[in-house]
Amino acid sequence: MDLLTYVREVSLEDFGKPFEHEAIWNSRLRSTGGRFFPKDGHLDFNPKVLEYQGLEVFRKVVRHELCHYHLYHAGKGYKHGDKDFKELLQRVDGLRFVPHLSQQTLYKTYRCESCGQLYSRKRQIDTTKYRCGRCRGKLSFVGEEMI
């Protein structure tokens, strides 16, 4: 998908105004769907929103950032707490908050060879160094699972 072309289309269709700056992907974004930079007017977007949430949610994130953009250039309140921003966001059906971007977490499961106690951990355990907390038995790797 050509991001700049898509953002320009959304701007014309949903706001009736042109978008005249840059729109770029920023894979370093973690908890946000996008960012608006008033200094130079460009927009950053998180590619994970499109990947995990789909085009419908991504379009709402684009609308959100375009609300910041168009209100700033109109000289109105463009920040999240401003009345102008809240009204425009509701009118164009933009997202107030981006849904969680993380997929299910991969856990590693270990079992005590003596008592059968199970341990699920995000990080790998050194089974030569660590023992069961219940009986001090040897731990063995069982497998990985999505939780």
Side-chain angles (χ1 to χ4, degrees), residues 59-104:
R59 185 178 182 104
K60 291 182 180 191
V61 170
V62 171
R63 289 178 189 149
H64 176 107
E65 298 309 322
L66 285 171
C67 285
H68 290 298
Y69 175 84
H70 289 301
L71 288 170
Y72 177 79
H73 290 290
K76 297 181 179 179
Y78 68 95
K79 296 181 180 176
H80 288 121
D82 295 334
K83 185 179 178 185
D84 293 329
F85 177 80
K86 289 178 181 179
E87 289 173 356
L88 181 59
L89 187 66
Q90 187 174 19
R91 197 165 60 236
V92 297
D93 189 31
L95 278 179
R96 185 90 167 102
F97 302 102
V98 69
H100 288 286
L101 298 175
S102 62
Q103 291 290 73
Q104 294 176 329

Side-chain angles (χ1 to χ4, degrees), residues 103-128:
Q103 291 290 73
Q104 294 176 329
T105 306
L106 186 64
Y107 281 83
K108 289 132 182 80
T109 305
Y110 299 87
R111 175 178 280 122
C112 174
E113 293 177 358
S114 299
C115 68
Q117 174 73 29
L118 288 175
Y119 297 92
S120 292
R121 300 288 185 266
K122 286 183 182 180
R123 294 186 177 192
Q124 186 173 336
I125 295 175
D126 182 0
T127 57
T128 62

